[in-house]
Amino acid sequence: MLNSKILSFRFRIWPLLLPFMLMTSPVSADVLEQRDIAFYYGSRPPVEDLRHFDQIVIQPSQVLPHERTALLNLDSLIFAYVSFGEIARNSDDMERIDTKWSIGVNPAWNSLVMDMTDPAWHEYLLEHHFGRLWRDGYRAFFLDTVDSYLLVTKEGAERTEQEKGLVALLAEVKRRFPGCKLILNRGFEVLDRASQYADGMVAESLFQGFDPVTGKHAPVKEENRTWLLSQLRRVQDEFKVPVIVLDYVEPGNWTEAEKTAKEIVKLGFMPWVANGDLTWLGHGRIRLAPRRLLAIINGTPAQQMDQDLFKHAAMPLEYLGLALDYWYVDKLPLPIEPLVGRYAGIIAWLGNGSSNGNGNDRSRHENVCARLQTEVDAGLPVVFMGYLPGGVACRNLIDYQGSLQPTTGMLELGAVSERLGRPAAAPVVGSGTPDVRVRDRTGAWLTLSDGKNVYHPVAVSSWGGYALHPHLISETASGRHEWLLDPFSFFQAAFRLPVQPVFDMTTENGRRLGIVEVRGDRLFEKDEHGVEAIDRLRQWIGKNPSPVTLGVIEAEANSEERRAKVRQLAAMPQVRLASHTYSHPFYWGVFEGKTDADQQPYRYSVFMEGYAAEMTRETAGTIPFLQSVAPGSPLLLIWSGDGKPVPAAMAAAWKAGLPNYGGGGLHWQSGPLSIADLSPTLRPTEWGTQVLTPLTAEPLFAQLWYGEALNFGIVNDWNRRLDLPRRLRISSLSIHADALLHARGAELLDQLADAQRKENVLGVWLDEYVQRAQAFQTASIARDLDGNWLLFGDALRTVRLPVSEMVPEISTDVVGYSDRNTDRYIYLARNHAVLKHSRGKGNAAPALRLIDAGAPLKSWHLNDDGSATLLFEPRGDFTLEVPKSCALSLNGEALTARRDDSHSIYAISANKASGEFRLEC
């Protein structure tokens, strides 16, 4: 296959030259800094992870058009693979190739070695490869099989002619595609003539090689390494061409990969160490730190929000910093590329049919387990939730004993791991416990016994772990769910999560984020005094300085008088508008022909004669209206009703570039809040990411308000509970406009808004929160060989680490930090940040740092004199807190602080909020 042609000459036996000293001084770190490189020849390129590299080599035939667009939009230079001197017999090219253009065969790859002197071959390559790739947007090319002619030509005139043709072709590529960059795989023999066209050179197998015949990775012989190193020194020192070294180890062999990468760097070359076919995200001068899970579930994307994994497990996984990629095994087999290095782990919640379902289910799950065995062998943890799949392959993977059949008798509680976090009130369940036990009893977190047999329904092992019903989650008659274990502790252990920065969606500049969201339901309805809800809303917002987002239902603003009122509201400085759809469909399943809408508890929508609900009109079709009444408001769609848009509705919003929000939140009937009933923040799909309501989506608001309005006051308590002991959510106030029609509605909402202000949150508009939450799905982390963290947070500006892990160095990228319980919240100044350990002595806190601020940071600049210049988004008045040893000035004028034991606190008025602050310590 072409995607493996880079391996062509890996095991050629080169002439043994005189010994060459390996110990030479490396090139400077500054030079290496500019050309980190990764090779990835698999499908589904992980664009967000690959952007950590300055140069990325891909196999164009493996990349879909939208993936190509995403790659080419990176700041990185994307090199398209081109086989320069060979054509594989099984390639699409063979239909158009004249075999007369070939001068021989490479039997190792079943490919033709092409005649580098033949003008017809030159023209074919220039048009059908370089030309096509150039039209697709590529401006850089990686040339493999450059010296294939050596396989079939003898030294002398024949070889000289081939080299002349090769150099001429390189020159023509540069001429025909001006400004293109070329990296050559070897080509030492023509370097004196070709170096002027080479922007880099790759050589393979300096320390570790790969045999394409046996499929084995092995160390390179000393004599081969000596010869190759002499050539690489010549390339870099004599011809000033940058050198990249590709070495090969088994996927998941991180110890050998890191060791090899360090050895290559010491020699002054840029490393990339991966597997033989370059489908594993291996190790270079930096290594990716995966923060995604592959979430394996049954069903279809339309059923995603009703899946147990989504409803219960996704939220605690998000808190641990893990983004989920959902994979529907009923539709597609698992990817063939190595998952280790790309994912932090795999989680599967396959449903009750996994052990005793039909033959198709058993066969499918056997295939899943067989595929996952390779990943477990490579060190990637796998976690099963709910039920274990049966079958030989699954038993081998999980290494369990027992029949999996549910027990029916009474059981007694045995050993319980302290980390299980089992509620003291949880009863000992007997009936339904699966007949399963682990061989290594030290991995059992929960042991039950019937006096004869033991059962282990929760266990953590070297391969991952499992937590099984009925010892996972309980459910009451009212539908309330409760975890029977500590999900944070269980997932931390089962996935063997390393200590690394965790992107946080709840906090910025040391403050909890807060939103006020008003959905414009019945916006023009009148109260008993004849006053419209929009007028009551304008009065209420006038008393509330926090940013407020109002979602408007276009069909309700059906007159110029009403639109004028909407414009008046949008003109208020603290207000931004969003679309709340055209007609406010409640039950989005109707777009897929579902007929059980009558079963929904709340069916508000605008019914208009002659209008049939149409997906594009409900989503992208509202953009012109929104821009006409609020041209200054960023685009945002707030899903109406049940907040479960079908895939086609999501696709319509995505196609229009319309960020979307709504649905989710807390599923609650009665009793105390349970995090097992709290949705995740994100619903990632093929058609974009839906950001879910933090707490009260429309159905819950209706349940609390329209029954007895004062029940809505419980939201204040829920907001507090979701901040302790872990900060699981932003502080959110999500209401409907018609709440202000209630006699005491404004009073209650005033109390809730006042409580949020007293919490000292950093208020953001809903579109800003959505932007930050969406960034959680795309954020990525890497670590360099010096131990520094490389962070792409996009709109996210906070990461968490244990307080004991590090004191961060304040830099152009890192603004400050503050501690909360055992967590250290570290503030970032930009999308792409480098996080380093402080160079100060011991654990002493750096003097220059921001402790907290009540507005988003706009820019941060370290000055030559050791001070810092700060600019904030103007948000009315806000507060800055800095170490007591620091002083703050505004536009050159010293400010007066209020001091406590260790901090100086500056209250900044609204008219000064947009000034330039200078922090000196």
Side-chain angles (χ1 to χ4, degrees), residues 328-506:
Y328 302 89
V329 292
D330 294 339
K331 294 184 61 181
L332 292 170
L334 290 177
I336 61 173
E337 296 86 5
L339 303 177
V340 64
R342 181 173 185 145
Y343 290 103
I346 298 168
I347 183 169
W349 200 320
L350 294 174
N352 195 16
S354 57
S355 61
N356 56 4
N358 60 48
N360 289 336
D361 286 340
R362 288 194 295 271
S363 176
R364 186 182 303 114
H365 296 142
E366 275 285 85
N367 291 335
V368 168
C369 289
R371 171 65 186 88
L372 294 183
Q373 186 69 62
T374 304
E375 303 301 333
V376 168
D377 292 344
L380 189 66
V382 176
V383 173
F384 286 91
M385 304 294 288
Y387 303 92
L388 282 182
V392 175
C394 295
R395 186 179 291 272
N396 291 340
L397 174 72
I398 304 166
D399 192 27
Y400 65 83
Q401 298 172 304
S403 66
L404 296 183
Q405 294 303 311
T407 60
T408 57
M410 296 294 292
L411 299 178
E412 293 184 356
L413 186 64
V416 179
S417 169
E418 291 182 359
R419 301 183 66 181
L420 183 67
R422 187 175 185 273
V428 178
V429 178
S431 179
T433 298
D435 176 26
V436 62
R437 62 198 59 83
V438 291
R439 298 178 191 276
D440 183 0
R441 303 298 170 86
T442 61
W445 278 30
L446 177 62
T447 299
L448 302 173
S449 174
D450 61 5
K452 179 180 178 181
N453 299 305
V454 295
Y455 304 86
H456 300 144
V458 182
V460 172
S461 183
S462 59
W463 57 267
Y466 63 75
L468 309 180
H469 288 311
H471 302 277
L472 173 59
I473 289 177
S474 67
E475 182 176 4
T476 66
S478 66
R480 182 179 182 274
H481 297 88
E482 185 83 36
W483 284 101
L484 297 177
L485 52 78
D486 180 344
F488 305 100
S489 177
F490 173 74
F491 288 136
Q492 182 81 44
F495 286 116
R496 303 192 298 274
L497 295 179
V499 178
Q500 66 182 46
V502 168
F503 282 104
D504 191 282
M505 294 180 278
T506 69

Side-chain angles (χ1 to χ4, degrees), residues 729-748:
R729 280 289 191 268
I730 64 171
S731 176
S732 66
L733 180 56
S734 298
I735 63 173
H736 290 182
D738 62 358
L740 290 152
L741 299 175
H742 191 282
R744 295 187 58 194
E747 179 185 348
L748 175 58

Side-chain angles (χ1 to χ4, degrees), residues 517 519 549-554 577-585 588 615-623 625-626 633-640 643 645-646 648-663 689-693 698 766-767 770 774:
E517 170 210 354
R519 303 180 186 103
T549 301
L550 169 65
V552 180
I553 303 167
E554 180 183 346
L577 297 192
S579 167
H580 196 33
T581 74
Y582 176 67
S583 72
H584 195 286
W588 286 88
M615 227 158 349
T616 302
R617 184 67 185 91
E618 296 292 344
T619 55
T622 62
I623 292 177
F625 162 75
L626 188 63
S633 293
L635 291 179
L636 178 66
L637 173 68
I638 302 175
W639 296 108
S640 58
V646 296
M650 287 286 292
W654 173 77
K655 186 177 180 180
L658 192 56
N660 57 93
Y661 162 94
T689 299
Q690 176 183 352
V691 178
L692 303 178
T693 313
E698 288 203 10
L766 191 55
D767 64 276
V770 167
Q774 286 179 324

Side-chain angles (χ1 to χ4, degrees), residues 210-351:
F210 174 73
D211 186 342
V213 177
T214 65
K216 300 294 185 181
H217 299 79
V220 172
K221 292 181 179 179
E222 181 68 26
E223 59 267 27
N224 292 350
R225 179 162 59 253
T226 300
W227 183 91
L228 180 57
L229 188 55
S230 69
Q231 297 301 307
L232 298 181
R233 288 296 177 210
R234 178 169 167 260
V235 171
Q236 188 163 277
D237 298 341
E238 182 178 345
F239 295 100
K240 311 303 180 186
V241 176
V243 171
I244 299 119
V245 172
L246 269 172
D247 268 26
Y248 304 97
V249 301
E250 289 284 351
N253 189 352
W254 295 111
T255 300
E256 192 63 51
E258 181 176 356
K259 174 186 173 184
T260 303
K262 287 181 176 179
E263 289 175 329
I264 293 169
V265 168
K266 286 179 182 178
L267 294 172
F269 309 131
M270 180 55 62
W272 184 246
V273 185
N275 62 331
D277 58 7
L278 296 174
T279 55
W280 171 45
L281 290 175
H283 211 309
R285 202 178 60 90
I286 62 176
R287 169 186 164 183
L288 298 170
R291 54 173 301 273
R292 289 176 178 269
L293 291 181
L294 188 67
I296 301 174
I297 55 177
N298 297 120
T300 67
Q303 300 166 320
Q304 179 185 22
M305 296 182 77
D306 297 318
Q307 293 278 2
D308 284 338
L309 194 155
F310 181 90
K311 292 191 299 182
H312 306 305
M315 189 282 295
L317 291 170
E318 283 181 345
Y319 176 80
L320 294 172
L322 299 167
L324 273 63
D325 287 346
Y326 287 87
W327 197 273
Y328 302 89
V329 292
D330 294 339
K331 294 184 61 181
L332 292 170
L334 290 177
I336 61 173
E337 296 86 5
L339 303 177
V340 64
R342 181 173 185 145
Y343 290 103
I346 298 168
I347 183 169
W349 200 320
L350 294 174

Side-chain angles (χ1 to χ4, degrees), residues 512 515-517 519 666 668 671 673 693-697 700-705 708-723 729-736 748-749 751-753 755-756 759:
R512 188 185 187 190
I515 60 168
V516 178
E517 170 210 354
R519 303 180 186 103
L666 178 67
W668 181 83
L673 178 149
T693 313
L695 186 54
T696 52
L700 181 55
F701 175 85
Q703 179 184 342
L704 293 171
W705 192 274
E708 294 182 49
L710 297 186
N711 283 346
F712 192 71
I714 198 173
V715 169
N716 196 30
D717 178 62
W718 287 345
N719 267 322
R720 284 196 300 267
R721 289 179 180 274
L722 292 174
D723 197 31
R729 280 289 191 268
I730 64 171
S731 176
S732 66
L733 180 56
S734 298
I735 63 173
H736 290 182
L748 175 58
L749 297 179
Q751 294 172 6
L752 293 172
Q756 188 183 73
E759 191 187 344

